[in-house]
């Protein structure tokens, strides 16, 4: 990939099939949120157990959901969709979390969710057309965010390795990734240069984690073998009997959560079919980097990026789902890469349903496996943190590039000032969403200054 200029249209003009898919999926996700069966926001899911068991009210849970979601919806989801021309989960699914939990009746939840879907497919198109007609076209300027997001995102395995396994291995991974990026840009210019680098980085991380777990289990078996004679000599030891006879309350809680989700397997299969179909239609990207890759028509690279992203979130989603009895709206997010790569919608519907069925049925097994691989479980936490760190820098840098493209120094002053003000007042808008939101406000301010004859738009 020699350039990150978007080749796909950013008009957000959807076909009838795409419109119907978005509206129907929003209705379904709102209904599932109303039933407390699934929510998209990982921060809301732990609160769902109290709601399911009646220890908190619907209004209180709605307030939690809105408080944890609003910044991402308006500060990240909407600006990313407008700048890339591709929908994203923060814009599509976070509002249906809120609307579904808010709805007091079952029949009202899908109506509210469907209405939001209609706002997304019709309202965004109108907003996009209006913004492009303004003297200061801040949506086109926001495409400057693509380059830093795509290339800095490739470094998240390096950060994760450094945090978990130290500087030496982190430096090794960084050198390998840099060499692969340079080689890819030279030899395969049509390929996104960060894709091979990310692949090798993630493989290195998983290899280090598995190696550590294998060594630790061998050491534990050796230690257990050394104490076998002692255990056999005192089979009636009260400590051993107590340990064997204890019931694991966590396992009991996880079992109840898994059983609750399995009872609604058909609903989850429909949900999986819908999410996979939306991904296959190529109007939806599962992340910041993915949105720009989908807009460029690089679906294989987008699938690769979202697959690596899933590795960081599977343990979190599995654990919170088992503990709360509420699953993720997009499951383990594995339906994203599956959908991007499938050749037709009907196959996407079938495969999406099967993927979700396998995920739900394997939840208990997934939890048990993760409990036996502590380093692998820890590496997923480091992956999530590294993804957040790289994207925060990339989005901030890209936002300042966008502000400079549309307003020069004045644009940088306004956007950067708004970002710093948000930090100073305690982050009213979450950090990840603050910079894109600042760019949108900057664009509005620059247009107002132009109408007042106080600013001349920067010529590209």
């Amino acid at each position: 990939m020699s350039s990150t200029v978007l080749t796909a249209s950013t008009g957000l003009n959807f076909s009838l099939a795409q419109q119907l898919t978005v509206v129907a999926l929003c209705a379904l996700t709102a209904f599932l949120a109303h039933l407390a069966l699934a929510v998209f926001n990982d921060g809301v899911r732990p609160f769902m157990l109290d709601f399911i068991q009646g220890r908190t009210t619907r209004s209180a849970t709605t307030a939690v959901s809105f408080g944890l979601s609003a910044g991402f919806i308006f500060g990240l989801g909407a600006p990313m969709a407008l700048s890339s021309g591709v929908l994203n989960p923060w814009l599509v699914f976070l509002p249906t979390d809120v609307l579904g939990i808010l709805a007091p009746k079952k029949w009202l939840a899908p109506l509210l969710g469907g209405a939001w879907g209609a706002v997304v497919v019709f309202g965004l198109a109108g907003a996009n057309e209006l913004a492009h007609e303004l003297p200061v076209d801040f949506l086109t300027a926001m495409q400057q965010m693509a380059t830093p997001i795509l290339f800095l995102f490739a470094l998240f395995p390096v950060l994760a390795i450094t945090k978990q396994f130290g500087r030496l291995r982190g430096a090794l991974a960084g050198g390998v990734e840099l060499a692969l990026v340079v080689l890819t840009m030279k030899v395969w210019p049509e390929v996104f240069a960060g894709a091979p680098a990310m692949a090798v980085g993630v493989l290195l991380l998983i290899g280090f984690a598995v190696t550590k777990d294998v060594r630790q289990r061998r050491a534990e078996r050796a230690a257990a073998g050394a104490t076998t004679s002692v255990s056999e000599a005192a089979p009636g030891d009260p400590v051993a009997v107590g340990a064997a006879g204890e019931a694991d309350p966590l396992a009991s809680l996880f079992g109840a959560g898994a059983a609750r989700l399995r009872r609604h397997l058909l609903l989850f299969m429909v949900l999986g079919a819908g999410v996979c179909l939306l991904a296959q239609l190529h109007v939806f990207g599962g992340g910041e980097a993915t949105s720009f890759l989908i807009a460029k028509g690089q679906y294989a690279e987008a699938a690769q990026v979202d697959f690596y992203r899933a590795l960081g979130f599977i343990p979190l989603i599995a654990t919170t789902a088992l503990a709360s009895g509420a699953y993720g709206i997009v499951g383990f997010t594995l339906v994203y890469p599956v959908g991007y790569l499938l050749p037709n919608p009907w196959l996407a519907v079938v495969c999406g349903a099967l993927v979700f069925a396998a995920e739900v049925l394997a939840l208990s097994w997934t939890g048990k496996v993760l409990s036996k691989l502590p380093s692998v479980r820890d590496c997923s936490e480091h992956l999530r943190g590294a993804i957040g760190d790289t994207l925060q820098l990339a989005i901030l840098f890209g936002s300042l590039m966008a502000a400079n493209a549309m307003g020069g120094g004045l644009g940088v002053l306004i956007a950067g000032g708004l970002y710093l003000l948000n930090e100073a007042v305690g982050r009213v808008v979450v950090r990840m969403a603050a910079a894109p939101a600042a760019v949108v406000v900057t664009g509005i301010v620059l247009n107002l200054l132009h109408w007042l004859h106080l600013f001349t738009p920067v010529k590209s």
Side-chain angles (χ1 to χ4, degrees), residues 47 108 119 158 180 260:
F47 293 92
L108 184 58
V119 169
V158 177
L180 282 171
R260 180 175 190 264

Side-chain angles (χ1 to χ4, degrees), residues 71-93:
F72 287 101
I73 297 169
F74 302 108
L76 185 62
M80 288 295 298
L82 289 169
S83 60
S84 67
V86 175
L87 300 178
N88 56 71
W90 306 285
L91 182 66
V92 177
F93 298 131

